[in-house]
Amino acid sequence: MELNKQVVLVTGAGKGIGKATALTLGNYGVNVIATDINVGNIKKTSEEIKQLGGQSTFMEMDVSKKKQVDVVVDSVINKFKKIDILVNCAGAITSGFLVNLDEKKWDQIMDINTKGVFLTSQAVAKNMIQQKHGTIVNISSVASKTGEVGNGVYSVSKAAVNMLTQTYALELAPYNINVNAICPGYTDTDIMQDVFEKRGPIEGVTPDKYREMLISNVPLQRMAKPEEIGELIAFIVSDKANYITGATINIAGGKEVH
Ligand SMILES: NC(=O)c1ccc[n+]([C@@H]2O[C@H](COP(=O)([O-])OP(=O)(O)OC[C@H]3O[C@@H](n4cnc5c(N)ncnc54)[C@H](O)[C@@H]3O)[C@@H](O)[C@H]2O)c1
Protein backbone atom coordinates (compact mmCIF):
# COMPACT_ATOMS: atom_id res chain seq x y z
CA MET A 1 0.00 0.00 0.00
CA GLU A 2 1.18 3.54 -0.78
CA LEU A 3 1.77 4.71 2.78
CA ASN A 4 5.52 5.06 2.86
CA LYS A 5 6.87 8.39 4.22
CA GLN A 6 3.43 9.66 5.23
CA VAL A 7 3.01 11.29 8.64
CA VAL A 8 0.20 10.06 10.90
CA LEU A 9 -1.02 11.44 14.22
CA VAL A 10 -2.73 8.71 16.26
CA THR A 11 -4.71 9.64 19.40
CA GLY A 12 -5.14 7.04 22.15
CA ALA A 13 -2.00 5.27 20.88
CA GLY A 14 -1.00 4.08 24.37
CA LYS A 15 -2.82 0.78 24.25
CA GLY A 16 -5.58 -1.27 22.66
CA ILE A 17 -6.75 -0.40 19.14
CA GLY A 18 -4.75 2.86 18.99
CA LYS A 19 -1.49 1.08 19.79
CA ALA A 20 -2.24 -1.74 17.32
CA THR A 21 -3.00 0.87 14.64
CA ALA A 22 0.21 2.77 15.39
CA LEU A 23 2.25 -0.44 15.09
CA THR A 24 0.47 -1.50 11.88
CA LEU A 25 0.98 1.88 10.21
CA GLY A 26 4.60 1.92 11.43
CA ASN A 27 5.10 -1.41 9.68
CA TYR A 28 3.78 0.09 6.43
CA GLY A 29 6.49 2.78 6.58
CA VAL A 30 4.38 5.59 8.03
CA ASN A 31 6.05 8.03 10.43
CA VAL A 32 3.89 7.65 13.56
CA ILE A 33 3.25 10.45 16.06
CA ALA A 34 1.82 8.52 19.00
CA THR A 35 -0.30 10.63 21.37
CA ASP A 36 -2.21 9.76 24.55
CA ILE A 37 -2.78 10.97 28.12
CA ASN A 38 -0.61 8.08 29.33
CA VAL A 39 2.97 9.10 28.50
CA GLY A 40 4.56 5.85 29.71
CA ASN A 41 2.41 3.87 27.31
CA ILE A 42 3.05 6.02 24.22
CA LYS A 43 6.79 5.95 24.94
CA LYS A 44 6.51 2.14 24.75
CA THR A 45 4.42 2.30 21.54
CA SER A 46 7.06 4.51 19.88
CA GLU A 47 9.92 2.29 21.06
CA GLU A 48 8.20 -0.82 19.70
CA ILE A 49 7.66 0.85 16.31
CA LYS A 50 11.35 1.80 16.16
CA GLN A 51 12.44 -1.71 17.22
CA LEU A 52 10.47 -3.01 14.21
CA GLY A 53 12.41 -0.64 11.94
CA GLY A 54 9.80 2.12 11.74
CA GLN A 55 9.83 5.85 12.56
CA SER A 56 7.99 7.27 15.53
CA THR A 57 7.83 9.98 18.19
CA PHE A 58 5.40 10.40 21.08
CA MET A 59 3.65 13.42 22.57
CA GLU A 60 1.33 13.78 25.55
CA MET A 61 -2.07 15.01 24.41
CA ASP A 62 -5.49 15.04 26.07
CA VAL A 63 -7.95 15.17 23.17
CA SER A 64 -10.56 16.96 25.28
CA LYS A 65 -8.29 19.99 25.91
CA LYS A 66 -8.23 22.40 22.97
CA LYS A 67 -5.00 24.15 24.03
CA GLN A 68 -3.09 20.87 24.30
CA VAL A 69 -4.43 19.66 20.96
CA ASP A 70 -3.47 22.91 19.21
CA VAL A 71 0.04 22.93 20.74
CA VAL A 72 0.72 19.31 19.74
CA VAL A 73 -0.61 19.74 16.19
CA ASP A 74 1.42 22.96 15.74
CA SER A 75 4.60 21.31 16.96
CA VAL A 76 4.10 18.30 14.64
CA ILE A 77 3.60 20.67 11.70
CA ASN A 78 6.71 22.67 12.70
CA LYS A 79 8.83 19.54 12.91
CA PHE A 80 7.50 17.39 10.04
CA LYS A 81 5.91 20.11 7.83
CA LYS A 82 2.72 18.06 7.31
CA ILE A 83 0.19 15.61 8.73
CA ASP A 84 -1.12 13.26 6.02
CA ILE A 85 -3.26 11.04 8.23
CA LEU A 86 -5.17 11.53 11.49
CA VAL A 87 -6.55 8.54 13.40
CA ASN A 88 -8.93 9.59 16.20
CA CYS A 89 -8.80 6.56 18.46
CA ALA A 90 -8.81 7.95 22.03
CA GLY A 91 -11.94 6.85 23.80
CA ALA A 92 -13.55 5.95 27.12
CA ILE A 93 -16.61 4.07 28.26
CA THR A 94 -18.89 4.00 31.29
CA SER A 95 -21.70 1.61 32.12
CA GLY A 96 -25.03 2.32 33.78
CA PHE A 97 -28.62 3.32 33.11
CA LEU A 98 -29.11 6.85 31.77
CA VAL A 99 -31.66 7.62 34.51
CA ASN A 100 -28.92 7.18 37.13
CA LEU A 101 -26.01 8.64 35.15
CA ASP A 102 -24.07 11.36 36.93
CA GLU A 103 -23.83 14.60 34.94
CA LYS A 104 -20.03 14.69 35.38
CA LYS A 105 -19.73 11.19 33.85
CA TRP A 106 -21.86 12.32 30.90
CA ASP A 107 -19.56 15.32 30.36
CA GLN A 108 -16.41 13.22 30.69
CA ILE A 109 -17.46 10.64 28.08
CA MET A 110 -18.81 13.26 25.66
CA ASP A 111 -15.65 15.37 26.10
CA ILE A 112 -13.29 12.50 25.27
CA ASN A 113 -15.28 10.59 22.64
CA THR A 114 -17.07 13.41 20.83
CA LYS A 115 -15.45 16.78 21.59
CA GLY A 116 -12.04 15.10 21.25
CA VAL A 117 -12.81 14.08 17.66
CA PHE A 118 -14.20 17.56 16.90
CA LEU A 119 -11.14 19.39 18.32
CA THR A 120 -8.40 17.15 16.94
CA SER A 121 -9.98 16.97 13.47
CA GLN A 122 -10.41 20.75 13.44
CA ALA A 123 -6.77 21.45 14.35
CA VAL A 124 -5.39 18.92 11.86
CA ALA A 125 -7.86 19.76 9.06
CA LYS A 126 -6.79 23.43 9.08
CA ASN A 127 -3.35 22.21 8.01
CA MET A 128 -4.68 19.57 5.62
CA ILE A 129 -6.68 22.30 3.87
CA GLN A 130 -3.40 24.18 3.18
CA GLN A 131 -1.79 20.95 1.91
CA LYS A 132 -4.88 20.15 -0.20
CA HIS A 133 -4.75 16.51 0.84
CA GLY A 134 -5.28 14.29 3.86
CA THR A 135 -7.32 11.55 5.39
CA ILE A 136 -9.03 11.30 8.77
CA VAL A 137 -10.35 8.13 10.40
CA ASN A 138 -12.58 8.28 13.45
CA ILE A 139 -12.97 5.20 15.62
CA SER A 140 -16.68 5.04 16.31
CA SER A 141 -18.43 1.81 17.40
CA VAL A 142 -21.30 -0.47 16.45
CA ALA A 143 -22.82 0.97 19.64
CA SER A 144 -23.41 4.15 17.58
CA LYS A 145 -25.98 2.33 15.46
CA THR A 146 -28.20 0.38 17.85
CA GLY A 147 -29.10 1.35 21.41
CA GLU A 148 -28.09 -0.97 24.27
CA VAL A 149 -29.20 -1.23 27.89
CA GLY A 150 -26.59 0.33 30.20
CA ASN A 151 -24.51 1.88 27.40
CA GLY A 152 -26.42 5.12 26.79
CA VAL A 153 -23.85 7.90 26.96
CA TYR A 154 -21.23 5.86 25.08
CA SER A 155 -23.73 5.13 22.28
CA VAL A 156 -24.75 8.79 22.09
CA SER A 157 -21.10 9.92 22.02
CA LYS A 158 -20.33 7.54 19.13
CA ALA A 159 -23.51 8.37 17.17
CA ALA A 160 -22.29 11.97 17.32
CA VAL A 161 -18.91 10.81 15.98
CA ASN A 162 -20.72 9.39 12.94
CA MET A 163 -22.33 12.76 12.29
CA LEU A 164 -19.02 14.58 12.81
CA THR A 165 -17.59 12.16 10.22
CA GLN A 166 -20.30 12.91 7.66
CA THR A 167 -20.15 16.66 8.20
CA TYR A 168 -16.35 16.94 8.12
CA ALA A 169 -16.35 14.67 5.02
CA LEU A 170 -18.70 17.04 3.17
CA GLU A 171 -16.95 20.22 4.32
CA LEU A 172 -13.43 18.94 3.55
CA ALA A 173 -14.11 17.10 0.27
CA PRO A 174 -13.30 20.22 -1.84
CA TYR A 175 -9.76 20.10 -0.38
CA ASN A 176 -9.13 16.44 -1.30
CA ILE A 177 -9.52 15.31 2.32
CA ASN A 178 -11.32 12.04 3.08
CA VAL A 179 -13.05 11.48 6.41
CA ASN A 180 -14.41 8.09 7.46
CA ALA A 181 -15.49 6.26 10.59
CA ILE A 182 -14.71 2.67 11.52
CA CYS A 183 -17.28 0.95 13.75
CA PRO A 184 -15.64 -1.95 15.58
CA GLY A 185 -17.69 -4.54 17.38
CA TYR A 186 -16.39 -6.33 20.48
CA THR A 187 -12.61 -6.01 20.35
CA ASP A 188 -10.25 -7.64 22.82
CA THR A 189 -8.98 -4.61 24.81
CA ASP A 190 -9.28 -3.14 28.32
CA ILE A 191 -12.51 -1.34 27.33
CA MET A 192 -14.22 -4.71 26.87
CA GLN A 193 -12.88 -5.98 30.21
CA ASP A 194 -14.53 -2.95 31.81
CA VAL A 195 -17.79 -3.78 30.01
CA PHE A 196 -17.72 -7.43 31.23
CA GLU A 197 -16.98 -6.34 34.81
CA LYS A 198 -19.47 -3.47 35.07
CA ARG A 199 -22.33 -4.52 32.78
CA GLY A 200 -22.37 -8.21 33.77
CA PRO A 201 -23.70 -7.36 37.25
CA ILE A 202 -26.26 -4.93 35.72
CA GLU A 203 -27.56 -7.90 33.70
CA GLY A 204 -27.47 -10.09 36.83
CA VAL A 205 -24.60 -12.35 35.68
CA THR A 206 -20.87 -12.72 36.41
CA PRO A 207 -18.35 -10.95 34.14
CA ASP A 208 -17.28 -14.30 32.63
CA LYS A 209 -20.88 -15.30 31.92
CA TYR A 210 -21.56 -11.88 30.38
CA ARG A 211 -18.50 -12.28 28.14
CA GLU A 212 -19.84 -15.65 26.99
CA MET A 213 -23.30 -14.16 26.37
CA LEU A 214 -21.95 -11.29 24.28
CA ILE A 215 -19.68 -13.49 22.17
CA SER A 216 -22.48 -16.02 21.55
CA ASN A 217 -24.40 -13.16 19.86
CA VAL A 218 -21.59 -12.50 17.36
CA PRO A 219 -22.15 -14.47 14.14
CA LEU A 220 -18.38 -15.13 13.82
CA GLN A 221 -18.39 -16.26 17.50
CA ARG A 222 -15.33 -14.30 18.65
CA MET A 223 -14.05 -10.85 19.49
CA ALA A 224 -11.90 -8.89 17.02
CA LYS A 225 -8.17 -8.61 17.62
CA PRO A 226 -7.00 -4.95 17.80
CA GLU A 227 -4.59 -5.68 14.90
CA GLU A 228 -7.56 -6.52 12.65
CA ILE A 229 -8.93 -3.01 13.22
CA GLY A 230 -5.43 -1.61 12.53
CA GLU A 231 -5.27 -3.38 9.14
CA LEU A 232 -8.67 -1.98 8.10
CA ILE A 233 -7.51 1.51 9.09
CA ALA A 234 -4.31 1.04 7.05
CA PHE A 235 -6.44 0.23 4.00
CA ILE A 236 -8.85 3.15 4.54
CA VAL A 237 -6.00 5.69 4.77
CA SER A 238 -4.19 4.28 1.73
CA ASP A 239 -4.49 5.44 -1.90
CA LYS A 240 -6.53 2.31 -2.61
CA ALA A 241 -9.44 3.83 -0.66
CA ASN A 242 -9.33 7.29 -2.31
CA TYR A 243 -13.00 7.20 -3.34
CA ILE A 244 -14.32 6.35 0.14
CA THR A 245 -15.43 9.33 2.22
CA GLY A 246 -18.23 10.01 4.72
CA ALA A 247 -18.61 6.27 5.37
CA THR A 248 -19.17 4.43 8.66
CA ILE A 249 -17.70 0.96 8.14
CA ASN A 250 -18.50 -1.95 10.46
CA ILE A 251 -15.82 -4.44 11.51
CA ALA A 252 -17.87 -6.51 13.89
CA GLY A 253 -17.94 -10.20 12.93
CA GLY A 254 -21.49 -9.71 11.63
CA LYS A 255 -22.81 -8.31 14.94
CA GLU A 256 -24.04 -5.15 13.19
CA VAL A 257 -24.91 -5.13 9.50
CA HIS A 258 -26.32 -1.62 8.95
N1 LIG B 1 -12.65 -2.44 22.40
C1 LIG B 1 -13.82 -2.42 21.80
O1 LIG B 1 -14.58 -3.41 21.85
C2 LIG B 1 -14.25 -1.22 21.01
C3 LIG B 1 -15.37 -1.35 20.19
C4 LIG B 1 -15.80 -0.26 19.46
C5 LIG B 1 -15.10 0.93 19.53
N2 LIG B 1 -14.03 1.04 20.34
C6 LIG B 1 -13.33 2.33 20.37
O2 LIG B 1 -11.98 2.16 20.03
C7 LIG B 1 -11.20 3.19 20.62
C8 LIG B 1 -10.03 2.57 21.37
O3 LIG B 1 -10.54 1.79 22.43
P1 LIG B 1 -9.77 0.53 23.04
O4 LIG B 1 -10.72 -0.58 23.06
O5 LIG B 1 -8.45 0.39 22.40
O6 LIG B 1 -9.63 1.04 24.56
P2 LIG B 1 -8.37 1.18 25.53
O7 LIG B 1 -8.96 1.54 26.84
O8 LIG B 1 -7.51 -0.03 25.45
O9 LIG B 1 -7.57 2.42 24.92
C9 LIG B 1 -8.07 3.73 24.98
C10 LIG B 1 -6.89 4.69 24.93
O10 LIG B 1 -7.41 6.03 24.89
C11 LIG B 1 -6.63 6.81 25.80
N3 LIG B 1 -7.39 7.97 26.27
C12 LIG B 1 -8.44 8.00 27.13
N4 LIG B 1 -8.83 9.27 27.34
C13 LIG B 1 -8.02 10.07 26.61
C14 LIG B 1 -7.93 11.47 26.40
N5 LIG B 1 -8.74 12.33 27.02
N6 LIG B 1 -6.99 11.93 25.53
C15 LIG B 1 -6.15 11.08 24.90
N7 LIG B 1 -6.17 9.74 25.08
C16 LIG B 1 -7.10 9.24 25.91
C17 LIG B 1 -6.30 5.86 26.94
O11 LIG B 1 -5.22 6.34 27.74
C18 LIG B 1 -5.98 4.59 26.17
O12 LIG B 1 -4.63 4.53 25.80
C19 LIG B 1 -12.15 3.97 21.52
O13 LIG B 1 -12.58 5.13 20.85
C20 LIG B 1 -13.29 3.00 21.72
O14 LIG B 1 -14.49 3.67 22.03
C21 LIG B 1 -13.57 -0.01 21.08
Side-chain angles (χ1 to χ4, degrees), residues 15 17 36 62-63 89 140 154 158 184-185 187 189 191-192:
K15 62 186 173 97
I17 295 170
D36 202 292
D62 181 337
V63 294
C89 199
S140 179
Y154 182 78
K158 294 296 188 177
T187 307
T189 70
I191 271 194
M192 279 313 293

Side-chain angles (χ1 to χ4, degrees), residues 154 200 211 255:
Y154 182 78
R211 182 182 201 277
K255 176 71 178 63

Side-chain angles (χ1 to χ4, degrees), residues 49-177:
I49 291 170
K50 286 193 255 181
Q51 276 159 16
L52 293 165
Q55 265 184 290
S56 180
T57 42
F58 62 93
M59 288 173 153
E60 182 179 7
M61 185 175 97
D62 181 337
V63 294
S64 66
K65 305 263 181 338
K66 181 172 163 47
K67 262 197 193 145
Q68 267 189 46
V69 170
D70 288 347
V71 166
V72 167
V73 170
D74 281 354
S75 74
V76 174
I77 293 290
N78 279 338
K79 190 160 179 202
F80 299 101
K81 310 295 170 219
K82 60 172 189 168
I83 297 176
D84 303 292
I85 305 163
L86 167 65
V87 181
N88 282 311
C89 199
I93 199 164
T94 191
S95 296
F97 290 110
L98 279 179
V99 284
N100 298 323
L101 187 72
D102 181 64
E103 184 188 353
K104 283 204 177 94
K105 258 293 169 208
W106 169 277
D107 287 342
Q108 186 202 349
I109 299 296
M110 295 299 289
D111 279 357
I112 298 170
N113 292 359
T114 307
K115 193 167 93 174
V117 170
F118 160 64
L119 290 176
T120 312
S121 302
Q122 187 184 59
V124 172
K126 281 181 180 161
N127 292 285
M128 286 179 170
I129 285 171
Q130 307 294 321
Q131 299 165 185
K132 292 208 165 40
H133 82 268
T135 178
I136 299 174
V137 181
N138 300 323
I139 312 309
S140 179
S141 167
V142 291
S144 67
K145 298 190 172 178
T146 305
E148 291 167 6
V149 170
N151 204 20
V153 62
Y154 182 78
S155 295
V156 170
S157 72
K158 294 296 188 177
V161 167
N162 296 354
M163 191 48 71
L164 279 169
T165 303
Q166 287 182 27
T167 310
Y168 269 129
L170 295 172
E171 292 182 358
L172 298 175
Y175 306 97
N176 193 27
I177 300 164

